[in-house]
Amino acid sequence: MELGKIIEKIADKPLNSKNKNLLVNREKEFEKINLIISYQPYGIYGICGETGIGKTTVINNIYTDYYSIKISLTQRENQDTILYDILYNIALKTEEDIKISREIKDWILEEVSYIKGFSMGMNFVGNANLATQNQKIPRFNYFKAKEYLNNLTDELVKKYKKVILIIDELDKESKKEVLLVLDNLKLELQKDGIIVMVSLPYSIYREYKYDRMHKNESGNLENVIKDIIYLREFTNSEIKEIIIKRIKDDIQFFDEKVIDLIVDYSDGNPRDAFWIMQKIIFEALSKKINRIEFTFAKNTIKDIVNEYLNEVSLTEKQKLLINEKLYPGIREEIVKNAIDKFKLARSTAYSIFDRLYELGIIIEQNGIYRLSGKYKYLYNK
C-alpha cells in the first residue's frame, strides 16, 4: 500500500454503527445518556464539547429501546428556519405512524415553496419595483409551526408513551441563537414523555456550569436545559489509540515518534490530530518521501505554526512566553517565572500571557495552564 492511501483512513468524519469499533473510551458519556433516557420523565439535555471532539459520533451511536427520532439540521439561517427544519424532519420520520405528520410535511413544503418563490421573484423584478406595488415579503408562520409541533409531540407521546428526540447540528449556531430557539420551544418540547438530546456549542457548557453554582438568578440556563453531558478532551494515550486503530495496518510508514508528535499537536482533539497528520502525509508525498521520520514531521509542523504566527504578528516579547519550560502551572506561577527569566514588567507579563491564552497558544484545563502541543517544538532544536 502506498502512503497516500492512508488519507482515506484518517478522514475526519463522524463514526456510525458500521465503524463503531474505531470509537475510543466514551463509555462513561454513553452511560450518562442511557441513564437520562431510562429514568428522566422529560426535558432538554445537551451534548457539549469542543468542535471536532466527536459530538456527532456520540449522537450517531445513541441507541435505546424507546421510540427515537434522530434528525440533523440543514436549514439554520434563523430561528424560523430552525423551527421549520425540526418540525419537517420529525414529520418526515413519523408520517407512516402519525396521521398529522403528512399534513404537517405538506404544509411546510407549501410554505417554503411560496416564500422561496417570492424571494426569487424579488431578485428578478427588483426591490424598488415591488415596493411601488405595495407588496410585502411573506414570512414563515412561526406560531402555526409551533402549534403543529405541539400537536405532533402530543400525538407521539400518546402513541409511544416515551419518545427520544435527538437533534444534531444545532451546535453550529451561536450561543445566543441556540438558547433563543430552545427557550421559545420549551412548551412544545418540555412535556412528560419527551426526552430531547441536542448538540450544543461549548460556550453554553461554560455558562451552564456557572449558572448551576449561582442559584436564584434570572435567566439561568437550567430553566431551559435540564442537564449537559460534557465530552471531555481525550488524553494523549486515547488520541494515540484513536490514530493507531485507524492506521494499524500501515504503521510502518511512520517513525514511532511521529505519532507522539501528532498526539502532542492535537491537544486532545481528534480533528486536529487527523488534520495535521494529513498535512504531514501530503508534504511527504510532494517530496517523494515514502516513510515519515520525526525530524521531517517536526519541521512540517513548525512551518505550519510559523505561518499562523506570521498572520497574528506576535512581538518578540510575546514569543518569549512560547517556552515549554514555563509550563504547566497556574497563571500566577507562570507569569512570575516569566518575569524572573526574561526581566519583564509585571503588567507586560500578564498582558502577554492573556494574549497568548486568547490566541490558543496557552490552553487551560481544570485551572492548570500549559503550552499547546501545536507550539511545543517551535523553538526547540
Side-chain angles (χ1 to χ4, degrees), residues 185-336:
L185 295 181
K186 279 193 303 186
L187 293 177
E188 292 73 30
L189 296 179
Q190 294 209 87
K191 58 178 64 174
D192 282 339
I194 299 285
I195 296 288
V196 182
M197 291 282 176
V198 57
S199 59
L200 297 175
Y202 178 63
S203 56
I204 287 182
Y205 175 69
R206 290 198 301 267
E207 187 173 328
Y208 177 82
K209 281 200 306 181
Y210 179 85
D211 280 358
R212 276 294 178 190
M213 298 299 107
H214 297 76
K215 297 295 184 182
N216 302 319
E217 293 183 6
S218 60
N220 284 346
L221 275 176
E222 62 262 34
N223 291 329
V224 180
I225 301 166
K226 291 284 184 187
D227 204 353
I228 286 180
I229 298 93
Y230 173 63
L231 304 186
R232 59 169 178 80
E233 298 86 355
F234 289 99
T235 64
N236 282 0
S237 61
E238 288 168 342
I239 291 289
K240 192 169 186 176
E241 183 181 353
I242 288 169
I243 294 171
I244 290 175
K245 274 192 170 187
R246 300 217 180 194
I247 65 164
K248 60 183 179 180
D249 296 328
D250 309 293
I251 198 72
Q252 71 275 8
F253 286 104
F254 302 89
D255 183 288
E256 183 179 352
K257 292 182 179 178
V258 170
I259 304 301
D260 293 330
L261 189 65
I262 291 166
V263 168
D264 276 340
Y265 181 93
S266 74
D267 290 328
N269 192 308
R271 177 170 293 173
D272 288 349
F274 297 145
W275 182 81
I276 197 63
M277 198 170 188
Q278 290 178 11
K279 286 286 193 180
I280 292 169
I281 291 173
F282 281 129
E283 185 67 16
L285 291 172
S286 70
K287 295 185 176 176
K288 312 298 182 186
I289 293 173
N290 294 319
R291 189 173 189 276
I292 298 173
E293 303 293 338
F294 176 79
T295 300
F296 174 83
K298 183 175 76 171
N299 288 336
T300 301
I301 291 176
K302 286 173 71 172
D303 289 343
I304 291 169
V305 173
N306 271 316
E307 184 178 345
Y308 167 73
L309 291 181
N310 287 336
E311 291 292 325
V312 298
S313 302
L314 293 179
T315 66
E316 292 305 313
K317 284 186 177 181
Q318 288 172 332
K319 290 178 182 179
L320 292 175
L321 266 70
I322 306 179
N323 186 315
E324 192 187 1
K325 293 179 181 179
L326 295 172
Y327 307 91
I330 63 173
R331 181 170 176 261
E332 289 70 22
E333 288 177 349
I334 294 168
V335 171
K336 182 180 182 301

